[in-house]
Amino acid sequence: GTPIRIIVPRGNLHLTEVALENAVFCFEYLTDYYAIPYPGDKLDHIAIPDFAAGAMENVGLITYRDSYLIIERTKASQAELQRSVDVIAHEIAHQWFGNLVTLRWWEGAWLNEAFASFMEMKAVDAKHPEWKRYLDFVNAEVPWAMGTDQLRSTRPVEFEVNAPAEVDEMFDAITYGKGNAILRMIEQFIGEEEFRQGVGSYLNRHAYANTVTADLWEALEGATDQPVGKIMDTWVYQPGFPQIDVATVDGGVRLIQRRFLVIPDETDATLWQVPVQLRGVADGRPFATKVLLDQDEVVVPVDGEIDFVVANAGGYGFYRTRYDDNLFTSLLDRLDDLDEVERHFLVSDTLAFVKAGQLRAASFLDLVQGFSGETERAIWSVIIGGLATLEHHALEDKARSGFEAFVRELVGPVLERLGWEPQKGESDLDRGLRGDVIACLGNLGRDPEVISATEEIAQRLLDGGEVDPEVGTAALSVFARHGGAEEYGRLWQAYETALTPLEKVRYLRSVAGVVEEDLALSTLEKVVDGDIRAQDAFWVLARLFMSKAGPTVWVSARDRWDEVLARMPGLTRRRVVEGIPALSQPEVAEDVKAFFATHPIPEAARALTQALEKLEANTLLRRRETPTLTTYFSRS
Ligand SMILES: [Zn+2]
């Protein structure tokens, strides 16, 4: 067999069991999927302190951030455990797709990354089916990608690359998120086995050689009758993605496509070849069909009266779905007939239409009340995320107590059902959900009981006591959000003395979550002084901008921008703008725009333009929906 080793700094060997188990499983799974022997004679995985990238797939010696390989199983949250196996699977997948066969030039780098991300999900889903990796995908990667791709300033997946700066721009949400999603969309349209055969013949045909993206489409077309190249070209060379408007008409279901933009533009006439999977019930009988929506409008024939229809069945499509009122209501009545990915899309599509001004926030708030019986962590995640977005951008003080009561009423029963203590035999996702709802009730619902309970738990954790990692992470978040100088000091000390990389990250996240203005400013100070490691500086800054202290931190960061930038080396430079979209208060947003008009960041030019467009969308959301929320939560 092939020797597989985990290499870590001295003293950490006893914390590599998780990584080794992941590395061996993924190696075997991927060898089996590709049906081609590993093209090397050993595969080492080495932890590198202060590593700016996540990992790098060097042939035979993969390099990683230390937190992905050094893990104490019982102290890690589900998200942390998943992150480790995600990254390991991704890098091993590259040993074939990327290393055995390499794209000819940088324009094709997206396909390397998209494909490795696509395989990563397969391997992780095989190792941990109970984690529902594909539900997590529509909760994490898909909205991440759409969040950029719904901008006028997005980019096509593939573009001509002539300069090093253009190479750096390629490693973003469009490559990793959209690239992955459109591969999954075409795989599910042509069939998993057909797709796998096409991939196998691509790798065999081009082993130890170079390719262009069309070579993969050609190999896939050898395994299916579908026009893969024609379909994929519309997704790869055109920026953006569509929304599909769905309505019942005589004889069937009408689908209309148009580009979805968060700041709408009626003049945009882009069309895609959209693989649509449709299912539902008509006259009490289930139906399911695949159609290629290759023009602006099509009527899919359905016999009988339609009881309900899902126009993104299984959630494989990279598009938003807008149902007419009757169909939408019928779906709400049939939530139990939808699978978890379809239910997730119902919530996330509604939220997206609110952000784009097609629906009012009240539609989202009404919708989520129908989910009180929901048990999936990812679905609660999109609900809680939507509430947090509205709270951040559109909640006036006079509506706050009504909003908090709404949150407690909606989310409180979930914690009651789960209890505070992990139950024997419960799933990892339920353990994670417990943490999520505790954080939500403490931070968004300001539930006094939750705040005092989490304070006690956080103290116990800081005193070195044993606490379930999900509950502990949530408790630290609430503790930080309501904390003052004393709490801040304890969190910082815990960060400095933490023994493992994962603990360090967790405490640093709490430090960055303290929102009292003086304290947030001293965190900024620590970024500038270098007390916070360069590998963490960009995300700490983003969290500060996204907090209640964001406007104050912005002014301070702006006034010594060169010093701040100097702390963001290499690949992290591009990410310095990630917190900017949160600064949506009108006068702050104006200041941000004016500042960057005279302070461009050449290494982050596109990322900055996109961040400013997201900021613009958020200021519009604030203006539009603040009155909506005030009315909504003033109801008795
Ligand atoms: Zn990669």
Side-chain angles (χ1 to χ4, degrees):
T2 305
I4 292 175
R5 291 182 298 186
I6 309 291
I7 303 166
V8 292
R10 194 177 293 279
N12 288 288
L13 204 57
H14 64 296
L15 300 177
T16 56
E17 186 195 321
V18 174
L20 185 61
E21 182 186 303
N22 291 337
V24 170
F25 179 91
C26 294
F27 182 86
E28 286 170 357
Y29 177 87
L30 291 162
T31 306
D32 193 49
Y33 181 91
Y34 292 128
I36 296 173
Y38 168 66
D41 38 40
K42 60 103 177 170
L43 186 50
D44 291 331
H45 304 257
I46 184 168
I48 312 273
D50 278 314
F51 195 53
M56 184 65 214
E57 68 269 20
N58 315 295
V59 178
L61 178 69
I62 304 173
T63 47
Y64 294 86
R65 275 190 179 219
D66 48 12
S67 58
Y68 299 150
L69 297 184
I70 302 170
I71 294 166
E72 192 165 0
R73 194 192 301 264
T74 55
K75 289 195 177 166
S77 69
Q78 186 272 336
E80 289 160 347
L81 290 169
Q82 183 181 310
R83 188 81 192 119
S84 166
V85 64
D86 270 356
V87 176
I88 290 170
H90 178 106
E91 303 308 326
I92 298 177
H94 273 312
Q95 302 301 319
W96 288 262
F97 205 104
N99 291 355
L100 176 63
V101 176
T102 307
L103 272 301
R104 188 193 62 185
W105 183 242
W106 288 101
E107 79 222 358
W110 76 268
L111 185 56
N112 274 352
E113 294 312 328
F115 197 88
S117 304
F118 169 86
M119 289 309 301
E120 152 195 337
M121 298 197 300
K122 277 194 185 300
V124 173
D125 189 53
K127 181 149 189 353
H128 291 284
E130 76 282 9
W131 286 353
K132 305 187 181 185
R133 186 61 181 84
Y134 288 109
L135 179 57
D136 185 55
F137 175 64
V138 303
N139 187 48
E141 285 97 335
V142 170
W144 177 50
M146 286 185 172
T148 294
D149 213 27
Q150 66 191 6
L151 304 173
R152 168 77 36 212
S153 56
T154 186
R155 63 168 177 86
V157 171
E158 182 165 324
F159 60 93
E160 199 181 310
V161 173
N162 295 309
E166 291 167 339
V167 172
D168 288 346
E169 279 184 354
M170 192 165 265
F171 297 88
D172 65 357
I174 298 302
T175 283
Y176 288 94
K178 183 183 184 180
N180 180 356
I182 61 179
L183 288 175
R184 178 146 168 87
M185 178 164 66
I186 196 70
E187 180 214 31
Q188 292 297 318
F189 197 62
I190 70 174
E192 289 182 4
E193 191 47 35
E194 288 82 353
F195 187 90
R196 195 178 76 90
Q197 281 172 12
V199 169
S201 63
Y202 166 85
L203 291 172
N204 279 310
R205 198 178 303 164
H206 303 287
Y208 301 102
N210 299 97
T211 54
V212 293
T213 51
D215 293 327
L216 179 61
W217 313 147
E218 195 188 309
L220 292 174
E221 281 176 355
T224 175
D225 294 336
Q226 294 289 350
V228 175
K230 197 172 118 204
I231 295 170
M232 294 307 276
D233 282 354
T234 67
W235 295 90
V236 168
Y237 297 113
Q238 299 188 129
F241 63 93
Q243 86 176 56
I244 311 284
D245 291 334
V246 188
T248 42
V249 292
D250 278 349
V253 178
R254 189 188 62 201
L255 307 175
I256 298 177
Q257 64 160 311
R258 56 185 162 122
R259 184 168 179 185
F260 178 78
L261 287 161
V262 69
I263 302 174
D265 174 4
E266 301 299 333
T267 65
D268 194 306
T270 315
L271 294 177
W272 287 261
Q273 303 262 326
V274 192
V276 175
Q277 303 209 31
L278 212 64
R279 72 170 193 92
V281 170
D283 281 348
R285 286 189 306 273
F287 66 90
T289 181
K290 293 181 179 183
V291 288
L292 186 61
L293 175 54
D294 56 1
Q295 47 202 305
D296 59 348
E297 179 176 337
V298 70
V299 173
V300 182
V302 176
D303 289 335
E305 178 146 359
I306 292 171
D307 300 322
F308 79 93
V309 61
V310 180
N312 189 1
Y316 307 123
F318 190 73
Y319 51 81
R320 292 289 176 201
T321 309
R322 177 89 193 267
Y323 297 95
D324 71 15
D325 288 347
N326 288 337
L327 285 174
F328 191 74
T329 308
S330 68
L331 285 170
L332 293 189
D333 293 341
R334 307 290 291 265
L335 283 182
D336 290 345
D337 292 319
L338 305 187
D339 73 23
E340 55 225 17
V341 174
E342 294 165 349
R343 291 202 304 281
H344 189 285
F345 260 108
L346 204 55
V347 180
S348 72
D349 284 340
T350 301
L351 183 60
F353 293 131
V354 171
K355 289 180 183 171
Q358 295 188 36
L359 293 173
R360 309 313 303 260
S363 301
F364 176 78
L365 296 166
D366 287 345
L367 172 72
V368 299
Q369 291 179 79
F371 281 74
S372 54
E374 182 58 58
T375 56
E376 288 297 341
R377 181 190 191 184
I379 295 174
W380 279 111
S381 168
V382 64
I383 292 171
I384 291 170
L387 293 171
T389 297
L390 294 176
E391 190 262 355
H392 182 84
H393 294 293
L395 191 66
E396 288 183 291
D397 281 345
K398 61 184 169 189
R400 183 163 295 277
S401 69
F403 173 83
E404 289 170 354
F406 179 93
V407 170
R408 292 194 299 268
E409 198 169 316
L410 180 67
V411 180
V414 184
L415 183 56
E416 268 168 47
R417 176 171 66 79
L418 293 169
W420 280 81
E421 294 291 327
Q423 307 296 309
K424 217 180 151 193
E426 81 181 341
S427 71
D428 289 350
L429 292 184
D430 275 350
R431 280 176 54 215
L433 175 59
R434 174 181 296 108
D436 295 347
V437 297
I438 289 172
C440 172
L441 288 167
N443 293 332
L444 292 180
R446 278 209 273 194
D447 184 316
E449 281 176 37
V450 171
I451 292 172
S452 71
T454 48
E455 159 137 34
E456 191 259 322
I457 293 167
Q459 298 282 6
R460 187 159 20 115
L461 194 61
L462 289 164
D463 290 338
E466 290 283 319
V467 175
D468 168 73
E470 309 285 358
V471 173
T473 302
L476 286 175
S477 141
V478 179
F479 182 75
R481 171 101 160 212
H482 300 282
E486 193 193 323
E487 289 81 3
Y488 183 83
R490 293 206 64 190
L491 290 169
W492 179 254
Q493 195 199 359
Y495 163 69
E496 288 199 304
T497 56
L499 293 176
T500 69
L502 281 178
E503 280 185 342
K504 267 204 181 309
V505 170
R506 199 178 299 159
Y507 285 119
L508 186 55
R509 199 178 296 134
S510 316
V511 166
V514 176
V515 296
E516 221 173 79
E517 290 187 350
D518 294 355
L519 302 170
L521 287 175
S522 58
T523 305
L524 177 64
E525 208 68 44
K526 291 175 164 68
V527 168
V528 173
D529 290 350
D531 291 338
I532 290 171
R533 290 158 81 185
Q535 67 170 18
D536 299 317
F538 73 91
W539 66 259
V540 169
L541 183 69
R543 282 184 74 83
L544 293 174
F545 283 159
M546 288 188 263
S547 79
K548 296 282 165 224
T552 306
V553 173
W554 159 251
V555 169
S556 177
R558 176 200 68 192
D559 289 345
R560 45 188 167 156
W561 189 245
D562 290 344
E563 286 176 79
V564 171
L565 269 190
R567 296 296 305 155
M568 315 281 163
L571 286 173
T572 68
R573 174 66 54 91
R574 200 166 38 83
R575 306 188 61 177
V576 67
V577 300
E578 281 180 3
I580 296 292
L583 300 167
S584 66
Q585 299 80 359
E587 63 291 349
V588 185
E590 281 310 311
D591 186 56
V592 168
K593 276 185 252 175
F595 179 79
F596 285 116
T598 54
H599 295 76
I601 311 173
E603 310 91 317
R606 197 196 303 266
L608 177 59
T609 307
Q610 290 171 346
L612 292 174
E613 190 181 341
K614 288 179 185 175
L615 174 61
E616 173 69 15
N618 286 337
T619 58
L620 294 171
L621 176 70
R622 177 181 291 268
R623 191 184 308 158
R624 210 169 47 231
E625 298 304 334
T626 300
T628 314
L629 260 66
T630 301
T631 307
Y632 198 89
F633 293 115
S634 305
R635 290 181 198 166
S636 52

